Amino acid sequence: AQKITQTQPGMFVQEKEAVTLDCTYDTSDQSYGLFWYKQPSSGEMIFLIYQGSYDEQNATEGRYSLNFQKARKSANLVISASQLGDSAMYFCAMSAYSGGGADGLTFGKGTHLIIQP
Amino acid sequence: EADIYQTPRYLVIGTGKKITLECSQTMGHDKMYWYQQDPGMELHLIHYSYGVNSTEKGDLSSESTVSRIRTEHFPLTLESARPSHTSQYLCASSVKAGDTQYFGPGTRLTVL
């Protein structure tokens, strides 16, 4: 079974500062994917960034980067130069490529990020 | 940008009513999913589909049912709604297993 742990229920950060949101995972699969999603108060889930378990480079997408440490089973999200519009819930999730069974995403409990002016 | 739609966005109904939540995508994705999310909580997979005429139950047991008659359409039905069904329901799709899933805007269901 897969498990995602996000240990920061809430975070307050000053605008323009960098933010690191923690995510650790547990899986017995050798091949898997790690994802971060943003959920504003309106409720939709916005895909931010993806990291494959065999990718050697850390993924980056604009102001988002994923600090992937495979040996430690961590996949932290880094947001550079935070903006007021970054205030939202952030979910870490993983999928497995093992084939068969449910191939939906397993989600963590999320981190509520609030950017203060 | 993903093109996946859900209607209605908000629904308030009485106990015992039959409801159908609609989900459509225009990307031609074979894989589609339904997740349930209680307020402030994580998402849980309740149904998924590998393609037309394929439906499977997810990790979280649900009294809802789904159908997949067309690739682009994956509706979810509750035959008799109860207050315990009050939640947000999110639909998603992907090209194949393990790929990025793109979500619709969600339906917030309240059963009185």
Side-chain angles (χ1 to χ4, degrees):
Chain A
Q2 300 175 318
K3 185 177 180 181
I4 295 285
T5 302
Q6 294 181 253
T7 58
Q8 305 153 309
M11 288 184 71
F12 288 87
V13 173
Q14 288 297 122
E15 190 180 7
K16 300 180 185 174
E17 289 184 351
V19 182
T20 297
L21 304 181
D22 295 340
C23 172
T24 58
Y25 61 91
D26 192 20
T27 181
S28 56
D29 293 303
Q30 296 301 310
S31 180
Y32 50 89
L34 294 157
F35 304 83
W36 278 92
Y37 286 86
K38 173 183 178 182
Q39 188 177 42
S41 57
S42 52
E44 73 268 33
M45 295 287 285
I46 302 167
F47 166 69
L48 296 178
I49 196 165
Y50 162 82
Q51 179 86 40
S53 57
Y54 292 117
D55 293 340
E56 295 184 353
Q57 303 267 10
N58 284 343
T60 61
E61 289 286 348
R63 294 187 299 113
Y64 305 108
S65 60
L66 198 152
N67 184 2
F68 181 46
Q69 298 188 40
K70 194 171 183 177
R72 298 180 61 185
K73 293 189 174 181
S74 74
N76 297 340
L77 176 71
V78 180
I79 306 174
S80 63
S82 58
Q83 303 170 356
L84 296 178
D86 294 333
S87 295
M89 284 290 288
Y90 287 80
F91 290 94
C92 180
M94 74 181 300
S95 65
Y97 306 116
S98 54
D103 66 5
L105 297 174
T106 298
F107 283 86
K109 293 186 181 297
T111 295
H112 189 192
L113 176 65
I114 297 174
I115 307 299
Q116 298 175 312
Chain B
E1 186 146 330
D3 294 322
I4 181 164
Y5 309 98
Q6 289 185 246
T7 57
R9 288 295 312 278
Y10 302 91
L11 181 60
V12 181
I13 59 166
T15 297
K17 299 291 186 184
K18 177 180 178 179
I19 62 167
T20 297
L21 307 184
E22 301 288 347
C23 175
S24 296
Q25 50 96 5
T26 58
M27 299 168 286
H29 288 171
D30 283 330
K31 306 293 188 292
M32 294 191 75
Y33 311 84
W34 276 102
Y35 292 86
Q36 184 175 343
Q37 183 186 28
D38 291 334
M41 303 295 287
E42 69 267 46
L43 284 71
H44 292 283
L45 180 71
I46 52 174
H47 298 284
Y48 63 102
S49 168
Y50 289 126
V52 171
N53 294 325
S54 153
T55 62
E56 303 286 344
K57 290 191 178 295
D59 304 317
L60 181 68
S61 175
S62 173
E63 294 170 344
S64 58
T65 59
V66 292
S67 62
R68 190 89 182 274
I69 298 173
R70 304 197 314 266
T71 298
E72 62 271 21
H73 196 212
F74 191 40
L76 180 147
T77 298
L78 276 167
E79 290 293 332
S80 180
R82 295 188 285 147
S84 60
H85 297 139
T86 294
S87 191
Q88 172 159 254
Y89 294 84
L90 289 144
C91 180
S93 71
S94 67
V95 174
K96 62 182 191 295
D99 269 9
T100 299
Q101 293 185 16
Y102 295 96
F103 285 80
T107 294
R108 292 193 181 182
L109 173 65
T110 302
V111 184
L112 303 176

